[in-house]
Amino acid sequence: MPPKLAVLIAAVFVLAAFRSDKEASQWPSDGLFWPTLWYVIVASRPIGVWLDIWGVPLPGGGGDATDGSAIDRYFFSVLTVIGVTILSRRRVDIGAIVRSNPVVTCLLLYMAISVVWSAYPFVSFKRLIKMIGSVVMALVIVTHPRRFDAALTVLKSCLFIHLPMSIIFTRYFRDLGVTFDWSGSSESWIGIATSKNTLGQVAMLGLICFSVVLRQNWSRKRFQFFPMAYLGMALYLLRGSSEAISMTSVSVAAFATIVLYRLQAYRSLPAQARPFVVAVFSAVVALILLIAAHSVFLFSADSILGNMVTMFGRDITLTDRTYIWSDCYAAVSNPLLGVGFGGFWIGRLVNIPWNANMTWVLGQAHSGYVETYLQLGLIGVLLLAMLVFTSFPKLLKELETSFDDGAIRITLFLTILFVNVTESVFPRGDHHLWLLFLVALIHVPVVGEVRKRVPLRRAPRIATARTHRAAEPRIVDASGLRLPGVAAPQH
């Protein structure tokens, strides 16, 4: 099949999927178009890369690693301003949200302060703006009156595009959708993502998302063609190339699927889900501590701990990750403060010695926890630990107030903690899983009460600056910004 015809067929299929989905087809009128656009880009490739692929001339290009991409900078800045405007029009009380999420606030403030001691403060400041943008996009989603549906719509809309187009790229645009190792003998699928692990993460999200959609539609007796088709695409991409299967992606997908399906088994008895969730959380924390100790002391392959480590990787070095971590630790001159947020991984200008002989440029520590230490030091690691341990009890309570919302948030929360053992999600504002992590843990207070069960067909009021004027909850207008030509919803 000619590549252009394949793209056309895929585009028609994507449009049909959008038309078949009631929630996704209404995204322009409720402000969700903008976080969806953000998510599509951070889950695939930067705008500048796409324009370069399409042959569009771009400004700059001087080769200075500190310059970055001007077009991407403008793109994310504009989306951030649009997000702030949506929050303003919804009259969201940011102060109430800040007070309900003190650790998130402290972590973000510390990131901003750490720019001061970065060796490249201008680069760090630009990356901080993108981090702020990711928080704004997360708030646009979580302040929607139907938070669960909003998060599912954003994720589903991205997957509608990402999964089929990644298959097209791996089969018909192999120079863009497939990479090879240094010998050129082993191929890896990357689709429209930037790496095989990122594509695996997107496929994993496809398993979670369309499993939830299938369950919803089954209970409503809706036709299942598109959810089943996309679930099959996710499984196909997760398998990847037979020559270089991403075991990290497979293990993450298996973990997320087990957690989600096990939680669904407790749907009629939410209280009984707590011991399972606590056990999984404890196991993930134990694994994090084990790998952290291994990154410092490097267990022998024949030791008991070494055998435990090899259960989660191909060898005792976890595919050379221990060498990367060792160089990252050596790069930190101030263990308490780190090098400053965004002050590392600046092309080859600021990188580790391990990267010197590579044909590609390393851009992460391959561990969110090592990454946090590298950029924010022990203070940052402590704040991240506080964020995890203070958010967990709140997520457990969600199982009793809104089981479906709580189940998907807990699944994302635990899965992203697990992903960070071997991939860097923390603290990267341009990573798609960081946005989902914020969506999972940010707590939005309900007006005038501790969060209670909300009656069907009525959305909880998000805390606003005018909450003292109303005694009864009312349905919130979540319209925010509307695209040209889209009429406002009728009340």
Side-chain angles (χ1 to χ4, degrees):
M1 181 185 301
K4 291 183 179 180
L5 178 60
V7 171
L8 178 61
I9 293 174
V12 171
F13 186 87
V14 170
L15 290 175
F18 273 105
R19 287 182 62 86
S20 71
D21 189 273
K22 182 179 178 181
E23 289 81 9
S25 62
Q26 294 177 347
W27 66 354
S29 62
D30 56 12
L32 295 180
F33 173 82
W34 307 106
T36 301
L37 182 58
W38 178 291
Y39 194 81
V40 167
I41 295 302
V42 296
S44 58
R45 303 183 190 185
I47 290 288
V49 173
W50 286 119
L51 293 178
D52 183 61
I53 290 173
W54 296 333
V56 178
L58 299 175
D64 189 346
T66 63
D67 287 342
S69 170
I71 191 70
D72 285 285
R73 185 158 58 249
Y74 298 146
F75 172 79
F76 288 114
S77 298
V78 168
L79 286 193
T80 301
V81 172
I82 292 174
V84 171
T85 305
I86 292 174
L87 296 175
S88 176
R89 292 190 176 185
R90 288 180 182 175
R91 300 199 302 272
V92 174
D93 188 349
I94 298 298
I97 295 177
V98 167
R99 290 190 294 273
S100 296
N101 300 272
V103 185
V104 176
T105 304
C106 289
L107 180 58
L108 293 174
L109 286 175
Y110 179 66
M111 289 179 185
I113 294 172
S114 71
V115 172
V116 174
W117 58 80
S118 169
Y120 296 87
F122 184 60
V123 175
S124 295
F125 180 75
K126 289 187 290 186
R127 292 177 176 180
L128 178 65
I129 296 300
K130 190 176 293 184
M131 172 63 72
I132 294 172
S134 69
V135 175
V136 171
M137 291 297 113
L139 288 176
V140 171
I141 297 172
V142 301
T143 57
H144 191 281
R146 295 178 301 279
R147 174 176 180 158
F148 173 77
D149 291 336
L152 193 62
T153 296
V154 169
L155 181 57
K156 185 168 46 177
S157 300
C158 173
L159 294 170
F160 278 164
I161 300 170
H162 204 299
L163 296 181
M165 288 304 175
S166 286
I167 292 176
I168 294 298
F169 268 54
T170 58
R171 293 185 64 85
Y172 297 99
F173 298 91
R174 293 177 59 81
D175 56 325
L176 299 174
V178 175
T179 59
F180 294 87
D181 65 1
W182 62 271
S183 66
S185 60
S186 179
E187 70 175 42
S188 299
W189 291 2
I190 63 174
I192 64 171
T194 55
S195 69
K196 67 176 183 179
N197 288 338
T198 302
L199 181 62
Q201 293 162 11
V202 172
M204 173 271 296
L205 292 172
L207 292 181
I208 295 176
C209 177
F210 291 108
S211 295
V212 173
V213 173
L214 279 170
R215 189 185 182 284
Q216 289 179 335
N217 291 349
W218 189 270
S219 62
R220 300 169 188 170
K221 298 182 179 180
R222 290 182 178 177
F223 185 55
Q224 302 285 299
F225 172 73
F226 283 105
M228 291 181 68
Y230 274 96
L231 191 63
M233 292 181 198
L235 289 170
Y236 176 76
L237 289 171
L238 188 64
R239 180 187 67 85
S241 168
S242 58
E243 299 175 358
I245 297 175
S246 174
M247 296 307 300
T248 300
S249 301
V250 172
S251 62
V252 168
F255 176 87
T257 303
I258 291 171
V259 171
L260 178 63
Y261 276 88
R262 188 59 181 167
L263 280 175
Q264 292 298 330
Y266 293 110
R267 197 172 190 277
S268 58
L269 296 170
Q272 294 185 10
R274 292 177 65 93
F276 168 73
V277 175
V278 171
V280 174
F281 177 71
S282 301
V284 171
V285 171
L287 175 63
I288 293 169
L289 294 176
L290 172 66
I291 299 300
H294 177 56
S295 71
V296 176
F297 303 110
L298 191 58
F299 306 137
S300 167
D302 298 327
S303 66
I304 296 177
L305 292 177
N307 287 326
M308 293 177 65
V309 167
T310 54
M311 291 173 60
F312 304 97
R314 296 179 178 178
D315 52 48
I316 195 64
T317 68
L318 295 175
T319 320
D320 291 341
R321 284 175 172 82
T322 55
Y323 302 135
I324 297 174
W325 297 339
S326 178
D327 281 355
C328 286
Y329 291 146
V332 181
S333 58
N334 189 329
L336 186 64
L337 301 178
V339 301
F341 175 75
F344 211 79
W345 311 117
I346 307 174
R348 294 190 185 275
L349 179 65
V350 185
N351 215 296
I352 58 176
W354 185 89
N355 183 69
N357 297 322
M358 297 294 104
T359 56
W360 41 268
V361 180
L362 188 66
Q364 58 159 312
H366 278 284
S367 167
Y369 309 104
V370 175
E371 191 81 62
T372 302
Y373 171 76
L374 172 66
Q375 297 191 32
L376 303 176
L378 292 174
I379 294 178
V381 172
L382 176 61
L383 288 172
L384 179 61
M386 290 174 59
L387 177 61
V388 169
F389 282 98
T390 57
S391 299
F392 183 63
K394 297 178 182 179
L395 292 174
L396 280 177
K397 292 180 181 178
E398 286 293 328
L399 291 175
E400 300 175 3
T401 58
S402 177
F403 185 86
D404 289 334
D405 187 9
I408 192 70
R409 290 172 66 185
I410 286 174
T411 301
L412 289 173
F413 176 77
L414 294 175
T415 302
I416 293 171
L417 291 182
F418 183 70
V419 168
N420 272 280
V421 172
T422 55
E423 295 296 317
S424 295
V425 176
F426 308 141
R428 297 173 59 195
D430 60 350
H431 199 290
H432 69 110
L433 290 182
W434 171 256
L435 176 61
L436 293 183
F437 188 70
L438 292 175
V439 170
L441 61 82
I442 290 179
H443 175 69
V444 179
V446 179
V447 175
E449 60 180 357
V450 177
R451 195 164 189 172
K452 297 179 180 179
R453 187 180 297 275
V454 180
L456 291 176
R457 300 180 182 276
R458 178 164 291 183
R461 286 186 64 201
I462 304 303
T464 70
R466 302 183 181 181
T467 55
H468 63 282
R469 297 185 182 179
E472 293 295 330
R474 61 181 179 178
I475 297 177
V476 178
D477 179 10
S479 56
L481 282 183
R482 304 185 183 93
L483 290 177
V486 179
Q490 301 297 317
H491 295 285

